Amino acid sequence: MQWTNDSKLLGFILVGFSDQPQLELILFGVILFLYFMTLLGNSTIILVSLLDSKLHNPMYFFLSHLSFLDLCFTSSIVPQLLVNLGSSDKSITYGGCVVQLYVSLALGSTECVLLAVMSYDRYVAVCRPLHYAFVMHPRVCSILASMAWLSGVTTTLVQSTLTLQLPFCGNRKVDHFFCEVPVLIKLACVDTTFNQAELFVASVLFLVVPLSLILMSYGNIAQAVLKIKSAIGRRKAFRTCSSHLMVVIIFYGTIIFMYLQPAKRKFVSLFYTVVTPMLNPLIYTLRNKEVKEALRKVLGKILVIKFT
């Protein structure tokens, strides 16, 4: 029993990239910059979506939720990562690990479902444009967003709680840079067959099912776009979906690669925890005229207020 409680008393050691000290210094500078850009970009998307009345529609409602998710997700991991990269102390308290585990898993799972919801929104916009206002009513959008959040909270309450019930028998070295279910399961000194099975079921529910729904949505969208005779109409329909499609490809592409190349888990995880949340606002800003115009308006108002 004393061994079981060692980890709770002393916390964990996040091995991270400690075997490559020269790389740690480079990563510290790069991650600090990317984190700042993530905070700036996603905060801007949320602010612009709230302030510009033209962006008060379902697409930007969900985009605001995505930006808020990315802000919280990266903030649950990166500050501790920066502390560990910038010092010789690689430890994290047991309480800190628990918080990181619950929060990051909830937000990551919520994002999987939210991306599927956003693909449905794009499907209705392209394939059912005349019914869009009725189908994507504000109340419906709120319900869909709430379902995404509730699903994320539910899975973390189940997965994280089951993981933390495992005895670690004094094993404290986590071969990762943050507390995540698969790496903590590896520390357990008992049979983890049930936990592995539960993790597999959760992976299917939050990765395979949402991705299948997204592919179905875009399959129908592709058929609808090909039926449009006007080249201008096809380009407009493509622009409607291109930003979200790029975000989906980057997000799911990274996760799928991680499962195919588990040996590179840390570097791939670094991409979807730090790089992807920074890219999302850039993709929506650079490829979306409405967001760029709204951003110019907001900046113009700020400058007017500042110099008057």
Side-chain angles (χ1 to χ4, degrees):
M1 182 61 71
Q2 183 179 357
W3 282 1
T4 303
N5 291 332
D6 278 351
S7 298
K8 295 184 178 180
L9 294 173
L10 302 174
F12 295 97
I13 304 297
L14 297 174
V15 175
F17 305 94
S18 57
D19 57 335
Q20 304 176 65
Q22 293 181 338
L23 179 62
E24 282 190 316
L25 294 175
I26 298 172
L27 285 176
F28 180 86
V30 172
I31 292 172
L32 181 62
F33 172 75
L34 293 178
Y35 182 52
F36 173 76
M37 294 299 294
T38 299
L39 296 179
L40 179 63
N42 285 289
S43 298
T44 300
I45 290 290
I46 295 171
L47 183 64
V48 169
S49 298
L50 289 173
L51 295 180
D52 195 299
S53 58
K54 290 184 178 180
L55 302 185
H56 292 175
N57 59 54
M59 177 180 174
Y60 298 104
F61 171 78
F62 293 125
L63 179 57
S64 296
H65 277 266
L66 179 64
S67 293
F68 182 70
L69 269 172
D70 285 337
L71 272 176
C72 296
F73 178 68
T74 193
S75 295
S76 70
I77 297 171
V78 172
Q80 180 66 51
L81 173 59
L82 290 173
V83 169
N84 290 348
L85 287 174
S87 67
S88 57
D89 183 12
K90 310 299 180 184
S91 64
I92 183 173
T93 64
Y94 182 80
C97 184
V98 169
V99 171
Q100 195 175 72
L101 180 66
Y102 274 97
V103 174
S104 62
L105 179 57
L107 297 171
S109 301
T110 301
E111 183 159 347
C112 290
V113 179
L114 185 63
L115 288 174
V117 170
M118 293 175 74
S119 71
Y120 175 70
D121 170 65
R122 295 299 82 204
Y123 159 75
V124 177
V126 175
C127 301
R128 299 288 186 272
L130 297 179
H131 301 93
Y132 183 74
F134 173 76
V135 175
M136 300 307 295
H137 188 274
R139 185 177 298 176
V140 175
C141 293
S142 297
I143 292 173
L144 290 173
S146 299
M147 287 174 58
W149 282 96
L150 182 61
S151 64
V153 172
T154 301
T155 190
T156 195
L157 288 175
V158 174
Q159 274 193 275
S160 299
T161 302
L162 287 174
T163 302
L164 293 172
Q165 294 301 312
L166 293 170
F168 299 116
C169 302
N171 296 324
R172 298 176 58 222
K173 286 190 175 182
V174 178
D175 189 22
H176 209 1
F177 58 84
F178 74 102
C179 293
E180 193 179 30
V181 170
V183 292
L184 288 179
I185 288 178
K186 289 181 180 180
L187 296 183
C189 53
V190 294
D191 181 31
T192 59
T193 302
F194 175 78
N195 297 80
Q196 296 285 357
E198 189 275 331
L199 179 60
F200 175 78
V201 171
S203 299
V204 171
L205 289 176
F206 286 91
L207 292 176
V208 178
V209 173
L211 182 57
S212 299
L213 294 174
I214 291 170
L215 292 175
M216 287 173 59
S217 294
Y218 277 102
N220 288 318
I221 289 172
Q223 289 181 349
V225 171
L226 291 175
K227 291 179 182 179
I228 299 174
K229 296 180 180 180
S230 168
I232 297 175
R234 285 196 296 270
R235 282 197 296 269
K236 185 178 179 181
F238 178 74
R239 277 201 306 271
T240 302
C241 308
S242 59
S243 296
H244 175 257
L245 186 58
M246 287 184 66
V247 169
V248 168
I249 291 171
I250 293 172
F251 182 80
Y252 280 99
T254 304
I255 294 176
I256 291 171
F257 182 80
M258 183 175 68
Y259 276 90
L260 294 175
Q261 299 286 338
K264 300 178 181 180
R265 185 181 193 91
K266 283 186 280 189
F267 286 98
V268 180
S269 297
L270 196 63
F271 190 88
Y272 79 78
T273 56
V274 181
V275 180
T276 302
M278 183 272 297
L279 287 177
N280 289 351
L282 286 177
I283 291 170
Y284 275 98
T285 302
L286 295 176
R287 298 182 62 84
N288 195 302
K289 292 181 180 179
E290 291 178 329
V291 176
K292 286 190 283 189
E293 289 177 5
L295 184 58
R296 279 195 292 266
K297 287 181 181 178
V298 172
L299 290 175
K301 290 179 181 179
I302 294 174
L303 292 174
V304 169
I305 295 172
K306 183 176 179 180
F307 291 104
T308 54

